[in-house]
């Protein structure tokens, strides 16, 4: 099948937006245009608009929300950032109907695999679903690196597996070794109906935050350190090989969460200030274009996806998230004023839109 089997979630939803549409090819990624008009429906192309009906839930209505994402409870003084809705240019993004989600997904399991940005999206989805069925019982537990949120009445499980690199870290006498060509967790992953993968932010950590002392790939390639973008690409290729050899598309649908950006440089969003970050930002970047351009890690990711033979649906959330410089906890997250968090997202917030797109991809194809 090759590269032509790669679809973004937006393109799946295009089939709903453009009745009678036809598939045309642009490069190696399929696009869907309406017959005769030449215009398509891309959920990832649009802008943030102010909407007083937002947010989709209140953090008070989500009693299990983690402290580091609950910016209002942590004292954030402004709330305008809660009232922005993602508006695609050529169609309307459907509201995530939590009850419909649970009914259609009855008896199934979804697994988020990745770093703390996967936690952000997992938490968002559990809050959205709980808001839709507030009287329904739920259970939440954690065993090791796996957290399971379940609605027993629907037999639906929303599971999180913390795995920042997707590939393995093994403990040896020499210390912790990052194995760029090894994935041992795959036998567990493929038991789920839906997989949502993510990795990026931990690849740049050094010093005490670096969770390995050695990098290894192949037979004789052992390094104390290598170029991090090259390591990221090698790991993605290992993951892609696992998907192509191990996943049955008839049983498991695979998504990859695009690279979630941070906002540590104001010049990236068009501010001429020589220093600064996301602190004090109260509005999105207006319009559909991000001045800082494409994220380099996203470019690497898309290149790897183009090489795959099995279908992987890209949740291409990078640009729409780049526009939300106001959506981070800043000092209203974990650690308060001692730490500046311009990487994760307040909840309610940006990850809710990621999950609306996931909902569209799952149920409107």
């Amino acid at each position: 099948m090759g590269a032509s089997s790669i679809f973004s979630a937006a393109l799946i939803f295009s089939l709903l937006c453009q009745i009678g549409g036809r598939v045309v090819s642009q490069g190696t990624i399929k696009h869907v245009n309406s017959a005769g008009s030449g215009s398509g429906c891309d959920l990832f192309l649009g802008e943030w608009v102010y909407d007083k009906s937002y947010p989709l839930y209140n953090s008070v209505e989500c009693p299990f929300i983690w402290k580091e994402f609950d910016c209002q409870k942590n004292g954030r003084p402004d709330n305008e950032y809660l009232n922005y809705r993602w508006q695609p240019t050529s169609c309307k993004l459907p509201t995530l109907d939590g009850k419909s989600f649970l009914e259609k997904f009855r008896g199934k399991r979804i697994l988020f695999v990745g770093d703390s940005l996967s936690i952000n999206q997992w938490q968002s989805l559990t809050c959205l679903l709980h808001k839709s069925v507030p009287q329904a019982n739920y259970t939440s537990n954690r065993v090791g690196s796996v957290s399971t949120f379940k609605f027993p009445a629907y037999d639906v499980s929303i599971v999180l597996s913390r795995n920042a690199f997707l590939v393995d870290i093994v403990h040896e006498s020499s210390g912790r070794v990052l194995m760029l060509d090894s994935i041992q967790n795959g036998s567990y992953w493929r038991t789920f109906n839906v997989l949502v993968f993510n990795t990026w932010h931990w690849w740049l950590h050094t010093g005490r935050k670096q969770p390995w002392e050695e990098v290894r790939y192949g037979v004789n390639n052992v390094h104390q350190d290598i170029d991090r973008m090259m390591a990221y690409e090698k790991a993605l290729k290992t993951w892609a090989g696992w998907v192509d050899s191990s996943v049955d598309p008839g049983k498991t649908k695979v998504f990859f969460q695009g690279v979630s950006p941070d906002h540590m440089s104001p010049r990236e969003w068009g501010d001429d200030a020589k220093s600064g970050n996301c602190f004090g930002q109260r509005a999105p970047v207006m319009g559909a274009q991000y001045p800082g351009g494409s994220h380099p890690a996203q470019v690497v990711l898309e290149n790897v996806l183009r090489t795959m033979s099995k279908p992987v649906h890209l949740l291409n959330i990078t640009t729409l998230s780049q526009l939300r410089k106001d959506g981070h906890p800043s000092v209203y997250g974990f650690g308060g004023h001692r730490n500046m968090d311009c990487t994760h997202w307040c909840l309610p917030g940006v990850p809710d839109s990621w999950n609306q797109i996931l909902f569209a991809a799952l149920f409107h194809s």
Side-chain angles (χ1 to χ4, degrees):
M1 293 172 65
S4 64
S5 65
I6 304 168
F7 301 86
S8 75
L11 306 183
I12 300 170
F13 186 60
S14 298
L15 298 175
L16 180 69
C17 296
Q18 307 293 346
I19 302 299
R22 59 186 177 87
V23 177
V24 297
S25 177
Q26 180 178 353
T28 58
I29 299 178
K30 286 186 177 180
H31 294 260
V32 178
N33 290 344
S34 60
S37 71
S39 62
C41 174
D42 186 341
L43 289 185
F44 305 109
L45 178 62
E47 61 183 331
W48 292 94
V49 298
Y50 191 81
D51 187 336
K52 288 185 178 180
S53 70
Y54 269 55
L56 298 174
Y57 58 92
N58 190 302
S59 61
V60 176
E61 299 170 316
C62 189
F64 44 82
I65 192 172
W66 289 15
K67 179 181 178 181
E68 49 262 52
F69 306 141
D70 195 347
C71 300
Q72 288 294 298
K73 188 175 182 180
N74 293 337
R76 181 164 175 170
D78 61 308
N79 56 21
E80 292 89 351
Y81 71 95
L82 295 169
N83 302 124
Y84 285 95
R85 171 176 55 82
W86 178 246
Q87 176 58 60
T89 301
S90 302
C91 59
K92 184 178 180 181
L93 180 62
T95 300
L96 193 156
D97 182 342
K99 188 172 183 179
S100 174
F101 183 107
L102 292 169
E103 288 286 0
K104 293 178 179 179
F105 212 66
R106 187 180 291 273
K108 293 183 171 61
R109 302 187 302 157
I110 181 173
L111 177 67
F112 292 89
V113 185
D115 57 28
S116 50
L117 277 307
S118 289
I119 299 176
N120 236 170
Q121 187 173 6
W122 173 74
Q123 276 261 281
S124 162
L125 184 57
T126 57
C127 287
L128 287 163
L129 295 176
H130 174 66
K131 174 62 166 61
S132 296
V133 288
Q135 305 306 317
N137 291 331
Y138 64 85
T139 62
S140 182
N141 65 80
R142 175 176 177 177
V143 178
S145 62
V146 177
S147 295
T148 301
F149 192 98
K150 187 170 183 178
F151 291 92
Y154 298 90
D155 191 22
V156 170
S157 296
I158 315 296
V159 185
L160 167 73
S161 177
R162 297 162 182 80
N163 191 319
F165 300 97
L166 302 185
V167 293
D168 298 329
I169 294 180
V170 300
H171 293 261
E172 297 186 353
S173 58
S174 59
R176 299 164 298 178
V177 182
L178 178 64
M179 308 288 289
L180 293 180
D181 52 6
S182 174
I183 290 180
Q184 297 297 322
N185 291 313
S187 58
Y188 172 66
W189 295 346
R190 63 186 181 190
T191 64
F192 285 79
N193 303 98
V194 175
L195 298 171
V196 185
F197 291 98
N198 153 62
T199 182
W200 166 242
H201 283 278
W202 277 80
W203 289 94
L204 300 182
H205 284 328
T206 58
R208 289 182 298 173
K209 287 189 174 183
Q210 178 180 302
W212 43 264
E213 284 79 40
E214 209 170 74
V215 182
R216 186 180 303 167
Y217 60 94
V219 178
N220 298 312
N221 293 299
V222 181
H223 307 272
Q224 287 188 327
D225 204 357
I226 64 173
D227 178 85
R228 299 305 180 84
M229 193 67 78
M230 182 175 73
Y232 173 67
E233 183 178 24
K234 287 182 179 297
L236 286 177
K237 288 181 177 179
T238 297
W239 166 84
W242 172 81
V243 172
D244 282 343
S245 63
S246 303
V247 172
D248 180 353
K251 297 179 179 179
T252 302
K253 182 171 286 190
V254 180
F255 292 86
F256 204 105
Q257 180 202 97
V259 173
S260 176
D262 55 26
H263 288 91
M264 296 299 295
S265 175
R267 290 193 175 184
E268 284 197 359
W269 59 80
D271 191 330
D272 291 332
K274 294 182 179 180
S275 63
N277 47 46
C278 67
F279 178 68
Q281 297 297 323
R282 298 194 173 193
V285 176
M286 294 294 105
Q289 301 296 320
Y290 187 65
S294 299
H295 195 294
Q298 181 73 5
V299 175
V300 171
L301 169 62
E302 292 185 17
N303 285 339
V304 171
L305 293 181
R306 288 188 177 95
T307 69
M308 298 179 67
S309 61
K310 295 284 180 69
V312 174
H313 309 278
L314 175 61
L315 292 175
N316 195 7
I317 52 87
T318 304
T319 300
L320 69 88
S321 303
Q322 284 177 319
L323 298 172
R324 288 305 304 273
K325 58 186 173 61
D326 60 320
H328 300 285
S330 67
V331 298
Y332 305 105
F334 185 76
H337 285 260
R338 292 174 298 172
N339 291 320
M340 177 63 65
D341 185 354
C342 294
T343 297
H344 301 99
W345 303 94
C346 296
L347 293 178
V350 173
D352 301 328
S353 293
W354 302 352
N355 283 317
Q356 284 180 272
I357 294 170
L358 178 63
F359 175 79
L362 285 171
F363 302 118
H364 290 279
S365 58

